[in-house]
């Protein structure tokens, strides 16, 4: 079978490898569509500290069951599904407390272990999630959607809350979609008009271009001078983190999704003064996947607009190059391995 391998930074090749053989408790899956995650791009550019080479990337995917034993979940051959790609050890302090998404020895597909960018994979049946009739390309978007949804679940987002999202990349936009479904009033700030236009399409109540708009004034007007009830940092940059702290209301919740790579220096007494709640967020739970599949299948949100382009396997390197040099106009790129049969 074919697989996409990152042999070393900036080198991708299509390899031939043996089709996997499932073990007891596993299903054999035919991979359909795979989204390219920021972590995959970081592996490609050599900026992912948890990746060793060679590595098959990918953890945002849809698949079709090819072989499976009778199981209590009722899955059968031919079902279109997705999977929870974060493997946890089950023995560490986090796992024993149910925090399996924050396992001390987390093994995310495509990062610490080979991922979904191959024609066939095997998966434990307990990690398989029913697609409930969603199309294969929609299902490939559920994992990144779950990252944002899980982050919002860390704080109490209530109907009518004023919510600020710093960053309108895919994770920020998915946070917007989820926040609007929860009844929040949402402001989205970014530097790129193309991303802000899509945020407007997804229902942002206010968009702020930090290059051309008066950020302070617009935030002040939107919140009537009170600050935001919830601030979501979706960039991983020091300046956007500090903006969240600054614009948060007293007693507000600040959620960090963006994976920061630079140190941030600030006087932390502002956290005490405002009595802020600051939440980190990592990965997601299976229940996050399920709730989002239900939300999308209800027809209340259309996430397919997030896909900028679909590439075939042979053009995978071109897709990775595009994202490595993304000027902000690209949202999600998807690799098509096969159509459902």
């Amino acid at each position: 079978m074919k697989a996409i391998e990152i042999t070393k930074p900036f080198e991708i090749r299509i390899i031939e490898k043996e089709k996997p053989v499932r073990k007891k408790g596993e299903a054999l899956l035919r991979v359909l569509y795979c989204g390219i995650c920021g972590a995959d791009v970081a592996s490609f550019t050599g900026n992912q500290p948890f990746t060793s080479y060679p590595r098959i990337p990918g953890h945002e995917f849809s698949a079709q069951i090819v072989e499976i034993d009778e199981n209590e979940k009722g899955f059968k051959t031919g079902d279109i599904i997705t999977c929870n790609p974060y493997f946890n050890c089950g023995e560490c302090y986090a796992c024993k407390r149910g925090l399996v998404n924050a396992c001390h020895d987390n093994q995310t597909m495509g990062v610490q272990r080979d991922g979904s960018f191959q024609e066939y994979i095997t998966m434990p049946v307990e990690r398989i999630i029913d697609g409930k009739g969603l199309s294969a390309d929609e299902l490939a978007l559920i994992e990144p959607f779950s990252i944002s949804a899980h982050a919002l679940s860390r704080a109490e987002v209530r109907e009518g809350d004023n919510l600020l999202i710093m960053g309108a990349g895919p994770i920020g936009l998915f946070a917007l979609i989820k926040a609007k479904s929860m009844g929040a009033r949402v402001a989205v700030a970014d530097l790129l008009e193309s991303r802000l236009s899509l945020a407007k399409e997804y229902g942002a109540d206010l968009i702020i271009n930090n290059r051309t708009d008066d950020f302070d004034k617009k935030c002040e007007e939107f919140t009537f001078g009170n600050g935001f009830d919830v601030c979501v940092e979706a960039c991983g940059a020091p300046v956007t983190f500090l903006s969240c702290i600054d614009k948060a209301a007293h007693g507000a919740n600040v959620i960090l999704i963006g994976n920061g790579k630079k140190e941030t220096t600030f006087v932390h007494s502002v956290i005490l003064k405002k009595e802020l709640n600051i939440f980190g967020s990592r990965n997601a739970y299976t229940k996050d996947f399920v709730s989002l599949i239900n939300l999308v299948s209800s027809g209340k949100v259309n996430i397919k607009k997030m896909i900028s382009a679909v590439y075939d396997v042979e053009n995978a390197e071109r897709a990775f190059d595009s994202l490595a040099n993304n000027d902000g106009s690209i949202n999600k790129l998807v690799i098509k391995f096969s159509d459902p049969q």
Side-chain angles (χ1 to χ4, degrees), residues 50-222:
F50 304 119
T51 297
S52 58
Y53 302 94
R55 176 64 67 218
I56 295 173
H59 54 261
E60 309 173 358
F61 65 96
S62 59
Q64 187 169 29
I65 297 176
V66 177
E67 295 175 5
I68 192 169
D69 293 326
E70 186 175 343
N71 58 90
E72 61 182 20
K73 289 189 172 185
F75 290 122
K76 60 185 184 303
T77 299
D79 286 349
I80 309 299
I81 53 86
T82 188
C83 299
N84 182 326
Y86 324 115
F87 285 76
N88 61 292
C89 71
E91 299 296 328
C92 70
Y93 187 54
C95 285
K96 287 180 178 178
R97 291 184 296 147
L99 304 174
V100 295
N101 61 310
C103 171
H104 295 192
D105 188 33
N106 173 74
Q107 298 271 313
T108 296
M109 291 175 63
V111 183
Q112 291 94 347
R113 61 168 61 200
D114 280 343
S116 59
F117 279 55
Q118 43 192 326
E119 290 183 295
Y120 293 90
I121 59 173
T122 57
M123 285 291 285
V125 173
E126 66 266 19
R127 293 193 165 274
I128 297 175
I129 303 167
D130 187 0
K132 295 190 176 179
L134 294 189
S135 62
D137 52 352
E138 285 177 311
L139 279 175
L141 298 176
I142 294 297
E143 190 278 338
F145 197 179
S146 75
I147 297 295
S148 301
H150 175 72
L152 290 183
S153 75
R154 300 278 285 129
E156 294 181 2
V157 178
R158 296 164 294 191
E159 186 171 359
D161 275 355
N162 291 318
L163 190 146
L164 172 66
I165 298 173
M166 296 300 298
I171 296 301
L173 290 174
F174 278 127
L176 163 64
I177 296 168
K178 180 60 178 176
K180 290 302 299 179
S181 76
M182 301 167 82
R185 295 177 69 240
V186 184
V188 179
D190 200 280
L191 298 170
L192 300 171
E193 199 59 41
S194 59
R195 288 183 169 180
L196 291 170
S197 295
L198 190 53
K200 195 66 177 177
E201 286 185 45
Y202 274 124
D205 299 282
L206 172 68
I207 55 173
I208 307 171
N209 188 320
N210 283 338
R211 291 189 194 276
T212 59
D213 294 330
D214 187 328
F215 177 71
D216 292 337
K217 181 180 178 181
K218 283 186 172 288
C219 290
E220 181 86 5
E221 291 174 347
F222 188 76

Side-chain angles (χ1 to χ4, degrees), residues 294-320:
N294 289 335
L295 176 62
V296 177
S297 63
S298 73
K300 294 179 180 178
V301 299
N302 175 14
I303 61 174
K304 292 182 74 167
K305 288 187 290 185
M306 293 287 290
I307 300 176
S308 297
V310 178
Y311 288 76
D312 58 28
V313 174
E314 286 69 25
N315 287 313
E317 185 171 8
R318 186 155 61 91
F320 274 82

